[in-house]
Structure formats: structure tokens, C-alpha cells
Amino acid sequence: LDVIGDPRDAGDEQADLRSLWPRAILGAARCGYEVTGDLGEALHLLDDAESWCHEVDLADELIAVQGQRGLLLLRAGDVSGALAELDRAAPAQSTVVSRDTAIVLLNRGALHLEVGAVDDARRDLGASVEHARTVGDVSIEAKGRHNLGYAEFLHGDLPLALRLMDEASELDPSDEDAVGLLDRAVVLQEAGLVTEAVAVLERATSILDQSGSLADLARVRFDIARCLLHLRQTERAAELAGEAKSAFHSQSNVVWALRSELVRQEALLAGLSKSAAP
């Protein structure tokens, strides 16, 4: 940020700094939260960026900043706050066609999936796919299609869910991401293919170990722990659930930390039962 300086000091020959500055702030807020877990400081940075967007009328950057605030709130476990922020960011009737809008609609659709609002998710994800196709962003389009597959999973159609996820991978085969693999693993678990789900989650772990967020890695460890508990590998399940709990705590995500502790306790109890069996 020091390299960019204050955009108010930029002359006419540096007019592009006016739009670059809030995007730099957006990145700094996310990186700072990932490293420190300080949600308050990250949101404070985004407040400054939003004020600047209003001051110089930067519509696309404003959508991006508000969308980032919603995403950070979601990572911290504040589902209602995240949804309210993404509602504020998404233009009415999705009329502003841009990559930023496609991302906001993608994230809001994913959030609707998390709370089980499948019809709302389909609406947002379908709009996100259309925006992404219009602006030529194959990566966002593929993510939207993948999440539409997850919507079909929640709707109860597992074969269609897996087919849509496969189609999304074919659309952008170079962009295999850990979150997409996590979704696929959930569908495999539901289909009773737990061993296959663990293999997919291990692939996600290898991706995140190289360059991933602590929150995503914690979620993958949580899901592996659940699978291993199902496979009665209780010692490893308890260990991974404990690691997930610590990571969620460092990200101020109390809800997921408690879920991880529940899985850890279940694994410990199952281990005791297995040891006590004749």
C-alpha cells in the first residue's frame, strides 16, 4: 500500500490509481485476515476503501469491496452478516454486467447453498454463469456451473450433481481448486463412496498446502476427519479434527471450531469403544 500511496495525492497522469487503490486495499484486507485472524482490522480497511469508492464514484470497485466484506464475514462464521453484505453488493436484478458482479453472485449463491436455500442459489448461480460468459471469464463460469451441481446434490439428484461438476472441470481443467474438490467429496460421501471422498480431500489438501487459505485447509481437514471417523480410523480422525479446531479458532470462527470439537470428541469416544470391544 505504501508503494501506491494515497490516491488523493495522484495527479491527472495517475488517474488509474483511483481505481487501483481500493483493489489494493481489498487484497490487503483479505491477506491480513488470513495471516492474523483480525477481522476487525480487515473490515476497517474495507470501510476506508468503500468510502473512497463512493467519493469518486467507482461502481465496479464498490461491488468488489462489498463482496469481499461479505466473504470475510462468511469465513469468520457470520452467515447472516455475510448474506446481508452480499445482498447489499449484488445490484438489483443483477443488471450490472461485470466480472465483479459475477463473483458477488457466485459467492452469494454459494452462501445460499450453505444455508440450504437451493432455489435462491440456483437463481444467483445461473446469473453468475451468464455474467461470466458475457465477459469471457471461463474460470468464474466453471465455478458457477460446479456450484449448480452442488445445488442439484442438495436437491437430491446425486448423479446429476456429479455430472455437472465433471462438466465444470472440463470447461476449465487448468483450474482445479480445493473448494471444488471439497464439494465433490461431500457428494461422494453422501453416495456412500467414503474412501473415494478421502482421496479427493487428500488432493485438496495438497493444493492448499502449496498456496491456500487457512480457513479452506481447516475445512478440508474437518471433512477428512468426518470421513475417517466413518471408516473407524478414529485416532487420525481425532488428530485432524483437533487441527481443524485450532485453525478455525485462529480465524475467529467459533461455530466451525465447535463443530470440529464435536467430531474430535466423537472420534475419541469411538476409539474408546473400539478399544473396549472384546
Side-chain angles (χ1 to χ4, degrees):
L1 294 181
D2 290 339
V3 174
I4 299 172
D6 191 325
R8 294 168 183 81
D9 299 332
D12 292 339
E13 71 281 3
Q14 297 175 300
D16 58 335
L17 290 184
R18 292 171 183 158
S19 60
L20 179 60
W21 189 78
R23 291 194 183 275
I25 291 287
L26 182 154
R30 176 166 184 172
C31 291
Y33 173 68
E34 293 290 349
V35 171
T36 68
D38 189 341
L39 180 63
E41 176 60 23
L43 295 180
H44 176 69
L45 287 172
L46 293 177
D47 287 343
D48 288 344
E50 181 168 349
S51 296
W52 174 248
C53 290
H54 284 299
E55 186 175 334
V56 296
D57 194 24
L58 297 173
D60 282 347
E61 286 72 17
L62 177 61
I63 291 172
V65 169
Q66 291 173 336
Q68 184 68 275
R69 187 186 287 110
L71 191 59
L72 291 184
L73 288 169
L74 179 59
R75 286 185 177 278
D78 184 356
V79 174
S80 60
L83 183 57
E85 194 61 35
L86 292 173
D87 283 344
R88 194 163 70 95
Q93 305 302 317
S94 307
T95 54
V96 179
V97 178
S98 71
R99 183 177 187 274
D100 291 311
T101 305
I103 292 172
V104 167
L105 289 167
L106 175 69
N107 288 335
R108 192 172 69 172
L111 179 53
H112 283 313
L113 289 178
E114 185 162 325
V115 299
V118 178
D119 289 340
D120 289 337
R122 282 170 165 166
R123 180 200 65 219
D124 279 351
L125 295 170
S128 176
V129 166
E130 291 303 317
H131 280 257
R133 185 186 298 119
T134 299
V135 301
D137 194 310
V138 175
S139 177
I140 299 301
E141 182 182 353
K143 287 180 172 62
R145 290 186 181 279
H146 171 91
N147 283 347
L148 283 170
Y150 196 83
E152 292 304 326
F153 158 66
L154 293 179
H155 197 253
D157 193 334
L158 272 62
L160 178 57
L162 290 171
R163 179 168 65 81
L164 289 172
M165 289 180 179
D166 286 341
E167 290 175 357
S169 297
E170 292 170 5
L171 181 64
D172 189 15
S174 65
D175 189 33
E176 183 177 63
D177 71 304
V179 176
L181 289 171
L182 196 155
D183 289 342
R184 184 176 182 83
V186 170
V187 179
L188 289 169
Q189 289 178 63
E190 187 66 23
L193 304 172
V194 182
T195 301
E196 291 84 348
V198 171
V200 170
L201 290 167
E202 293 290 359
R203 281 206 337 256
T205 300
S206 66
I207 292 172
L208 291 169
D209 280 339
Q210 297 298 317
S211 57
S213 75
L214 184 60
D216 288 337
L217 185 56
R219 179 60 194 273
V220 170
R221 284 173 175 159
F222 171 85
D223 271 31
I224 294 177
R226 290 181 61 205
C227 288
L228 294 179
L229 178 59
H230 184 84
L231 295 172
R232 298 192 64 75
Q233 298 179 31
T234 55
E235 185 174 343
R236 181 59 176 156
E239 180 183 346
L240 286 173
E243 291 176 5
K245 174 187 174 182
S246 296
F248 283 127
H249 264 309
S250 72
Q251 296 290 294
S252 306
N253 193 332
V254 177
V255 173
W256 277 95
L258 289 172
R259 289 174 177 171
S260 300
E261 175 61 14
L262 177 60
V263 172
R264 192 179 79 87
Q265 293 294 335
E266 288 176 343
L268 292 173
L269 179 60
L272 289 173
S273 299
K274 187 167 60 173
S275 301

